[in-house]
Structure formats: structure tokens, C-alpha cells
Amino acid sequence: MPFLEEASCGGCAASVNVLVTYPLNKVIFRQQIQAMRFNSALGQLHSEGAYRLYRGVLPPLLQKAASVSLMFGLYSTYRESLEQHAPAAIRQSPLALTATAAFLAGTTEAFLVPFERVQTLLQHPKYHGLLRNTGHALYHLRYYGFQEYYRGLVPILCRNGPSNVLFFSMREPISTSVGHLMGSNKSSLAVAVQNFVSGAILGAGLSTLFFPLNVVKNKMQCRLGGEFFSLPAAARYVFQERGWRLLYRGVHVNFTRSLLSWGIINTSYEFFRKLLHDGRDTAEV
């Protein structure tokens, strides 16, 4: 599939996902930043009112749509290019081809860091009175210098490349295994369930694996101005502040959200992909 088609399917799937799961994501964020219990984080959001429930949704909507668009679009593009131009050792190994294309796509996604940066600031209650919306937050950051937009870049690079490699390397095998467990039923509903379950398993597993890294990333990005800490320094600070137990606070909610989130993304992606494919076949007829 051409880059634009893959990217369009990924972007639409991500948009559906963000609009469904954003409130749950805010609960997880509060737990990560303030080490709160689930009920306390939920109560905090309730006390802020419904009109603030989707405050800050534009950055993750733009970031996730762009990120997943690039994730699928660039993976397809890089893989096609590697199949033609990579050294023979990579071209002759499907796993090496997949891993290299996935890593390059994940690393390229990192230029979207400013969206994650603004999302973190808008979700934090500390900045509710200072930052009004996405545009205002992006404008406000310029007073602190260009580097402020990319605070937290290193943990994002450490997350994106490896997680993409695992995602694209395991996506087909997991989907095939789920299909075998479901038997010979190939109805539209059965295919949707297969896509949802395989995406949910993979997404929840990867999200849990990289959860501590995301905690450190959020802690780095919730600062506005001041000293820039290295990833090891920030990780030491978070661990000393919380220990292992509080480091994983919110992981069960994050696991649940990722099950739903990546189930929706994988199912929606395949739905939009089939829609485009069927539309192109109809047009050719």
C-alpha cells in the first residue's frame, strides 16, 4: 500500500482511539505525576467538572494521529526502500527487515515531541491557570527557548524505536495465533474480534514493559523552565522519590487502557484499510 493510504488508515484509527480513551488517560497521568490512587485521581477529575474533562485533548489527538500515521506509513516506506537498497544480510532476513524498518519509523516519530510536551503541561493541574489551550501553551514555551519544546526527547527515543520493533515483529504472529484459537470462523465480526484481541494483547504488553520509562518521561516534561536533567539523573530521582512500588502506581489502569486503546487502533486500522482496498477495487471495476 502507498504511504498515504497506510498513513491515512493509521491516522483515522488513532483519532477514534484518542476520543474514546482520553478520560482514562487523564486518570493514569494524574497517578503517574502525583502517585495518587485511582479513586483519588478520579475524584480530582470529577471535582474539576465535565467541561475540563477533555482539556488538553487536541495535542494527543494531533500527536497520536500523526504518530500512528507515521508509524504505519513510514514503516511501509522504509521497508519497501530497504527491500531494494539494504545490504543483502538485511534483505534476506524478514525479521531483520521488519526490525530495521520499524526502528527507523519509531525514531522518525520523535520529531512530534512538542505535542507530547504540551499534552503533559495541559493535563497537569499546576498549569491550569497559566496555560489556556494548545495554541497558548505552544506560544508560551517560546519564552523558555527552542529546547523547551523537546524536553523529554531522550526517553521518547528510547521508547519509540524498541517498541516499534516489538510491535511490527510480533503483530502478525500474535494475530495468526489468535486466529488459530478462534477456529475457522471468518465472518466480519470474527475478523474484527481477532484484530481487537491481537492488538490489545500486544499493546497492553508493550505499554506495561515501557511504563517506568513513561513515568520518568512525564516527570521530566511536567517541568516548565529550569534545569534539564539527563535520563539517568531523572530516573534516579524518580526511583529515590517513589521506590519500585510507587513507580508502578497506575500500571493496572494503564494496562486496561492499553488493552482498549490498541484493540481499537488495530481493529480500526484494518477496517479503514479494507475500506480503502474495497473502494479501489470498486473504482477499477
Side-chain angles (χ1 to χ4, degrees):
M1 255 182 147
F3 170 82
L4 285 179
E5 292 187 11
E6 289 280 353
S8 298
C9 293
C12 290
S15 299
V16 171
N17 162 64
V18 170
L19 293 174
V20 171
T21 62
Y22 185 73
L24 186 58
N25 186 61
K26 289 193 80 168
V27 173
I28 295 167
F29 175 79
R30 298 290 173 89
Q31 289 188 284
Q32 289 180 332
I33 291 300
Q34 301 175 3
M36 304 173 73
R37 293 187 179 277
F38 176 77
N39 289 338
S40 300
L42 198 62
Q44 189 180 74
L45 289 180
H46 183 266
S47 67
E48 292 172 4
Y51 73 99
R52 274 187 170 165
L53 184 61
Y54 276 86
R55 171 184 162 86
V57 71
L58 186 58
L61 187 62
L62 295 175
Q63 185 269 332
K64 197 68 176 178
S67 176
V68 179
S69 290
L70 290 175
M71 176 179 167
F72 284 104
L74 287 176
Y75 169 74
S76 175
T77 302
Y78 280 131
R79 186 181 175 95
E80 183 177 340
S81 179
L82 287 168
E83 286 173 345
Q84 298 174 10
H85 306 295
I90 293 178
R91 291 200 313 269
Q92 294 169 5
S93 170
L95 182 59
L97 202 60
T98 297
T100 305
F103 186 84
L104 290 172
T107 302
T108 306
E109 288 172 45
F111 85 89
L112 298 170
V113 169
F115 287 115
E116 282 197 56
R117 176 80 172 106
V118 170
Q119 176 190 354
T120 301
L121 293 173
L122 288 175
Q123 285 186 339
H124 202 298
K126 177 181 177 181
Y127 301 110
H128 279 178
L130 178 65
L131 304 173
R132 295 191 298 271
N133 51 46
T134 302
H136 183 242
L138 287 168
Y139 183 81
H140 188 80
L141 281 175
R142 74 187 184 92
Y143 293 113
Y144 297 90
F146 178 78
Q147 71 274 15
E148 195 68 37
Y149 288 95
Y150 282 86
R151 188 185 286 266
L153 172 63
V154 174
I156 288 173
L157 285 171
C158 292
R159 177 198 67 193
N160 283 10
S163 65
N164 261 21
V165 171
L166 292 171
F167 179 85
F168 283 106
S169 298
M170 298 172 66
R171 186 167 177 256
E172 285 302 321
I174 289 177
S175 180
T176 301
S177 298
V178 172
H180 287 158
L181 290 174
M182 293 181 63
S184 58
N185 188 351
K186 297 300 179 184
S187 66
S188 297
L189 178 60
V191 171
V193 170
Q194 178 182 342
N195 291 331
F196 184 90
V197 172
S198 58
I201 292 171
L202 187 53
L206 292 177
S207 179
T208 302
L209 178 64
F210 291 97
F211 186 82
L213 189 59
N214 275 326
V215 173
V216 175
K217 186 271 296 183
N218 283 336
K219 197 68 174 177
M220 293 171 73
Q221 289 191 325
C222 72
R223 292 174 59 90
L224 188 55
E227 183 181 357
F228 278 73
F229 293 101
S230 66
L231 177 58
R236 281 196 303 271
Y237 173 79
V238 171
F239 182 74
Q240 289 169 1
E241 179 186 51
R242 302 185 179 191
W244 284 111
R245 185 177 179 183
L246 291 182
L247 183 63
Y248 279 90
R249 172 157 285 179
V251 70
H252 62 293
V253 183
N254 183 71
F255 182 86
T256 303
R257 184 213 53 182
S258 296
L259 278 173
L260 178 63
S261 177
W262 279 100
I264 291 172
I265 287 176
N266 205 44
T267 306
S268 300
Y269 169 77
E270 293 296 344
F271 170 77
F272 288 120
R273 195 166 182 262
K274 185 177 185 301
L275 205 62
L276 281 176
H277 186 270
D278 291 347
R280 187 168 62 247
D281 287 349
T282 302
E284 289 176 355
V285 171

